[in-house]
Amino acid sequence: MRPVWLLALVSAAVLAEQPTPQRQQELIDLLKHDCGSCHGLPPKGGLGPSLMPEALANKTDAFLLEVIQKGKAGSAMPPWQQFLSLEETAWLVQQLRQEGWK
Amino acid sequence: MKSLISVLPLVFSLLLSACGQMELRATGDLGVVIEREAGSAQIVNTSKPAMLSRIEGLGDLSHASVVFSRDQRYAYVFGRDGGLTKIDLLRDEIVKRVVQAGNSIGGAISQDGKIIAVSNYTPGGVKLFDADTLEQLAEIPAVYGEDNQLSKVVGLVDAPGQRFVCSLFEGNEIWLIDAKNPRQPQVQKFQSIGKQPYDALLTPDGHYYLAGLFGEKGLALLDLWQPELGVKHILQDYGKDDEQTPVYKMPHLEGWTVAGDWLLVPAVGRHEVLVIDKRDWSLAKRIPVAGQPVFVMSRPDGRQVWVNFAFPDNQNVQVIDVKDFSVVKTLQPGKAVMHMEFTPRGEAVWLAVRDEDRVMLYDTETLSETARLPAQKPSGIFFSNRANQLGL
């Protein structure tokens, strides 16, 4: 299943407005503490894989969005779509790639 | 000579007053609160609730746990980044710190208190250290399968007979490690114990080791009195036709969850606490609770079991009365309750409320709050009486 539809949405999402400053802080806290419980803080990995920029370098935005939104079968990664909009997910992926969120 | 004798009383009185100012600290009163974001730990007094000091520079504590030396003077902190730090609870200082692996999940202390064992994700395996010096004594790579892959190691506990027990998350194995000769540990491997063991517990009497399974239903049970019988898969079929809910934080089995004949454990992917009859390892009851349970911890007397939850229900804590397995109270201490620790005889429980930057104390009889202490993003609470408990 290739997430082509997501790719289209992502490009739109990145262009769309960013989360509000307050929401950005909530998202960073989520990243540090809830994602961090499996991926570490900084997210160098734990039960889940590393989310450091070098580890994500060969992963496409579309792939990362798909995994965060829908989870990954056969692994412990749950779907976050109930809590994160596509825009918010795209913003989080950007932060992870830049590592400027710490 | 005469002049010396005349000043001696003065010297003694000075010494006495110096001693009088130095407050003696009894280690049985102490505990450690992990502050995950700052990578620091508070040393606390558990009888007169207060922070005594803060130890910084402990590395990545996004997942951390603590064991205590048997004299209760030292705390060993296991950090995510492979850091193993020995803290002197009397002098408020780091005695020794080694970064022994790239990625680590927890540890244990041997029956005789002389060996520290650490379970690592990267490189997957167990390492043994001298508890005094933190000198490495042995490395046990968690090799599995035909192509000798390394597995993440979880659920490491000490067991009677100077042994350790652990589970291999990808390897689907349980290893029984005999460390009588800590430089040449002997490993007995149990294979195909069930898919993806995620954590484990030792019953307080040291008799049974139970690993929870993430990749399939149930738990893997090893009888340490009769390891030759092999590992038994229990609760294989519970709720297998029920809808699964996503798990936003791995449950933990650490902690005493044995209350009399009953063993209470978190369900995985169901908002339930499972009650297992320890006499025949059957499922006695499924208790509906407020979310995916993370810690299911029994008060030391076994009358109550306290439960906290994974995101997005982690503002709740529920109290189960073991008399009839009913949820008698749902508390809302604040956002993100990460961990709970009972005082040694259980009159009080301390809760780490991460997003509110505080530790909260509750009276376990009235179920009301009695105190709160500031802490920076607290995530784990460990009291020194763990020094005398098997498997903790």
Side-chain angles (χ1 to χ4, degrees):
Chain A
M1 184 184 76
R2 294 194 66 81
V4 177
W5 62 273
L6 259 179
L7 201 61
L9 276 172
V10 174
S11 329
V14 173
L15 294 174
E17 58 187 279
Q18 304 237 319
T20 64
Q22 191 201 338
R23 182 60 182 155
Q24 288 186 13
Q25 191 53 52
E26 289 172 9
L27 292 171
I28 292 301
D29 285 344
L30 184 91
L31 194 58
K32 280 182 180 172
H33 300 297
D34 297 298
C35 306
S37 69
C38 277
H39 293 279
L41 176 65
K44 292 180 180 172
L47 193 64
S50 169
L51 305 178
M52 299 298 278
E54 58 275 16
L56 300 183
N58 62 353
K59 308 261 194 292
T60 64
D61 283 354
F63 171 80
L64 295 172
L65 264 123
E66 171 89 359
V67 171
I68 296 170
Q69 285 274 304
K70 301 270 174 78
K72 200 170 178 201
S75 83
M77 179 68 182
W80 291 86
Q81 58 190 359
Q82 197 188 331
F83 309 103
L84 297 172
S85 71
L86 267 177
E87 288 86 350
E88 290 168 346
T89 311
W91 185 81
L92 274 175
V93 169
Q94 271 186 312
Q95 301 309 304
L96 283 169
R97 288 197 188 284
Q98 292 165 1
E99 213 193 345
W101 52 274
K102 282 192 290 173
Chain B
M1 188 66 195
K2 192 182 172 201
S3 63
L4 181 61
I5 289 170
S6 66
V7 298
L8 270 179
L10 178 67
V11 173
F12 279 129
S13 67
L14 278 174
L15 275 173
L16 278 173
S17 68
C19 290
Q21 280 161 12
M22 202 167 68
E23 200 185 329
L24 290 173
R25 193 185 280 183
T27 51
D29 259 348
L30 302 181
V32 170
V33 174
I34 298 292
E35 297 177 313
R36 77 188 297 277
E37 186 172 0
S40 55
Q42 289 188 12
I43 297 174
V44 294
N45 184 310
T46 65
S47 294
K48 296 173 191 160
M51 178 176 99
L52 302 176
S53 66
R54 176 176 277 124
I55 310 292
E56 292 173 330
L58 301 175
D60 174 359
L61 298 185
S62 65
H63 188 288
S65 62
V66 177
V67 299
F68 293 90
S69 63
R70 89 185 207 178
D71 62 8
Q72 302 184 335
R73 174 167 178 179
Y74 301 102
Y76 299 87
V77 181
F78 307 97
R80 167 86 78 186
D81 55 3
L84 164 58
T85 312
K86 181 177 180 179
I87 295 173
D88 186 336
L89 300 174
L90 295 184
R91 295 188 189 276
D92 299 332
E93 63 187 21
I94 293 174
V95 181
K96 178 94 179 171
R97 172 173 162 81
V98 294
V99 176
Q100 52 81 40
N103 203 304
S104 177
I105 194 68
I109 186 163
S110 63
Q111 186 175 33
D112 68 0
K114 291 179 179 160
I115 309 166
I116 300 293
V118 191
S119 55
N120 292 320
Y121 280 177
T122 320
V126 173
K127 286 186 179 178
L128 305 182
F129 296 87
D130 183 303
D132 276 340
T133 61
L134 300 191
E135 176 206 352
Q136 186 173 315
L137 301 173
E139 176 168 10
I140 308 165
V143 175
Y144 74 98
E146 286 170 7
D147 45 359
N148 289 333
Q149 283 179 280
L150 287 180
S151 176
K152 298 186 188 83
V153 175
V154 300
L156 174 67
V157 299
D158 63 287
Q162 199 65 359
R163 293 179 296 177
F164 294 102
V165 198
C166 64
S167 299
L168 276 58
F169 180 72
E170 293 93 350
N172 304 331
E173 297 185 9
I174 289 175
W175 286 12
L176 183 54
I177 301 167
D178 184 328
K180 284 188 195 73
N181 179 353
R183 290 187 189 273
Q184 283 177 314
Q186 303 298 311
V187 181
Q188 189 180 354
K189 301 177 182 178
F190 300 88
Q191 293 171 328
S192 305
I193 56 104
K195 285 181 197 146
Q196 293 176 317
Y198 64 87
D199 197 10
L201 69 85
L202 184 79
T203 53
D205 56 7
H207 188 162
Y208 298 102
Y209 178 82
L210 277 133
L213 300 174
F214 184 77
E216 61 183 296
K217 288 288 175 190
L219 297 104
L221 170 71
L222 178 62
D223 181 345
L224 295 174
W225 289 12
Q226 314 175 77
E228 64 277 8
L229 296 183
V231 172
K232 187 177 164 190
H233 192 166
I234 63 167
L235 269 58
Q236 215 158 350
D237 292 325
Y238 88 86
K240 67 178 163 63
D241 299 324
D242 297 342
E243 193 194 337
Q244 292 294 296
T245 51
V247 178
Y248 289 97
K249 184 182 164 102
M250 269 299 178
H252 287 57
L253 294 178
E254 172 253 59
W256 289 27
T257 50
V258 177
D261 288 329
W262 312 108
L263 182 72
L264 283 82
V265 297
V268 181
R270 298 279 306 162
H271 294 180
E272 293 171 350
V273 168
L274 307 177
V275 183
I276 301 170
D277 186 336
K278 214 155 67 71
R279 291 164 298 193
D280 61 2
W281 304 104
S282 62
L283 180 62
K285 197 174 169 73
R286 296 159 67 176
I287 307 170
V289 288
Q292 165 67 52
V294 175
F295 284 99
V296 175
M297 297 179 94
S298 150
R299 200 172 68 178
D301 64 338
R303 170 66 192 270
Q304 286 176 354
V305 165
W306 287 55
V307 186
N308 75 333
F309 301 98
F311 176 91
D313 301 303
N314 57 13
Q315 74 281 14
N316 299 306
V317 168
Q318 288 190 311
V319 183
I320 295 169
D321 187 342
V322 175
K323 178 168 58 85
D324 54 8
F325 298 126
S326 60
V327 173
V328 289
K329 186 87 176 180
T330 301
L331 301 166
Q332 299 208 311
K335 266 183 77 183
V337 181
M338 290 288 106
H339 194 218
M340 306 168 285
E341 181 82 333
F342 290 95
T343 51
R345 299 194 190 203
E347 83 289 353
V349 63
W350 290 39
L351 309 179
V353 192
R354 186 192 67 201
D355 291 358
E356 313 281 356
D357 292 311
R358 65 183 181 229
V359 167
M360 295 171 76
L361 280 63
Y362 282 78
D363 180 315
T364 62
E365 197 170 314
T366 63
L367 305 181
S368 55
E369 183 190 338
T370 55
R372 53 178 74 185
L373 302 171
Q376 298 167 15
K377 300 282 179 286
S379 57
I381 307 175
F382 302 87
F383 292 166
S384 62
N385 62 306
R386 285 173 176 249
N388 307 320
Q389 295 171 351
L390 291 171
L392 292 184

